Amino acid sequence: NPIPGLPYHTFDFDRGIEHLGFFGVDYYIAFTEEANDEAFEKGLVQATYSEPFGVYEIPDAEMVTIGAFEPMVFQTPESDFLAQFIPLPEREDGGFRSFSDFSLAWYDDLESLDTFVVVDGEPNWRQVETLDDLDYAIPHGIVGEVTDFELTDQRISFHTTAVGAPHLIKVSYFPNWQVTGADGPYLATPSLMLVIPTSEDVVLEFKNTWVENLGNGLSLMGILGLIWYGVKFRRTPRSEE
């Protein structure tokens, strides 16, 4: 339990395995007798063993999950950025002050993992302020499967037959990710990416934003200015003292 203030469930094997599968983790490594015995008891397939380490396969570990419900949008009047630095009092109605606080509670509740909540979404998506609001999630009725998933440092691609359904990608959200063949990406609980495919082939690429392009352009102009000044200074004869 290394981080103060976060909720922990010490050696809750069932919770741990479900969370590992949720994040698309393929293997679980145990090095204590208790942990190895628990893995055998739960029926995990052992990939290899080198005393004292046992490596076990995680079932149902997928890097892209198709959600069964329409995404929901978290709403709060306070700034999520501000809430990271200034403690805010709890709301009387049980709501959360920031998306981060909501995500921690969402992650702690295993029954919430199949309902995806985003920060900003479409106007017709249902809004949520508490975990109880997740009970009113709307099924979209779209079925399909994801194949041909590929992940590199700056590119993610996959094929899906569930066009129009929310797809949760088990990669951390960052504004530089840009998608083709889908709407999004949206920042989704707990801190992943959600897209709504508009075609069967979806590609996300990590590219510079306009702010970074502007900064690079200004930096280049500054370097060229220094070079021009240096050349001009060397060619201009100095006056004798």
Side-chain angles (χ1 to χ4, degrees), residues 8-153:
Y8 289 95
H9 301 269
T10 302
F11 200 72
D12 190 329
F13 195 86
D14 292 332
R15 293 180 60 87
I17 294 300
E18 185 160 353
H19 275 142
L20 289 175
F22 171 80
F23 279 109
V25 178
D26 292 320
Y27 298 99
Y28 159 70
I29 301 177
F31 69 92
T32 67
E33 182 178 354
E34 179 186 13
N36 278 287
D37 291 344
E38 191 75 11
F40 276 114
E41 183 178 336
K42 298 299 182 181
L44 295 187
V45 177
Q46 187 181 80
T48 187
Y49 182 82
S50 179
E51 190 177 1
F53 299 99
V55 181
Y56 304 88
E57 297 180 4
I58 303 297
D60 302 326
E62 301 174 345
M63 287 299 295
V64 179
T65 299
I66 302 175
F69 303 95
E70 291 184 2
M72 305 182 77
V73 182
F74 176 77
Q75 292 291 331
T76 180
E78 282 78 22
S79 168
D80 184 55
F81 177 81
L82 181 64
Q84 305 305 312
F85 303 96
I86 301 177
L88 298 174
E90 296 183 359
R91 290 170 47 176
E92 295 181 357
D93 60 359
F96 296 90
R97 294 290 185 179
S98 72
F99 181 73
S100 297
D101 292 337
F102 177 85
S103 294
L104 285 174
W106 177 92
Y107 181 77
D108 193 56
D109 181 14
L110 295 181
E111 296 182 358
S112 301
L113 298 184
D114 62 347
T115 306
F116 307 144
V117 182
V118 299
V119 175
D120 296 310
E122 301 300 324
N124 60 323
W125 291 353
R126 188 182 296 270
Q127 297 183 2
V128 56
E129 294 183 351
T130 68
L131 293 180
D132 292 337
D133 295 334
L134 300 180
D135 295 336
Y136 302 97
I138 302 175
H140 52 68
I142 303 175
V143 297
E145 63 177 352
V146 174
T147 56
D148 301 329
F149 176 83
E150 293 184 4
L151 172 65
T152 62
D153 288 343

Side-chain angles (χ1 to χ4, degrees), residues 220-232:
L220 179 61
M221 291 175 59
I223 294 173
L224 294 176
L226 290 174
I227 296 175
W228 173 82
Y229 179 80
V231 172
K232 180 180 179 181

Side-chain angles (χ1 to χ4, degrees), residues 207-236:
K207 299 180 179 180
N208 286 346
T209 62
W210 68 269
V211 176
E212 292 166 316
N213 290 331
L214 177 62
N216 292 336
L218 293 176
S219 298
L220 179 61
M221 291 175 59
I223 294 173
L224 294 176
L226 290 174
I227 296 175
W228 173 82
Y229 179 80
V231 172
K232 180 180 179 181
F233 179 78
R234 290 178 60 89
R235 290 183 177 181
T236 303

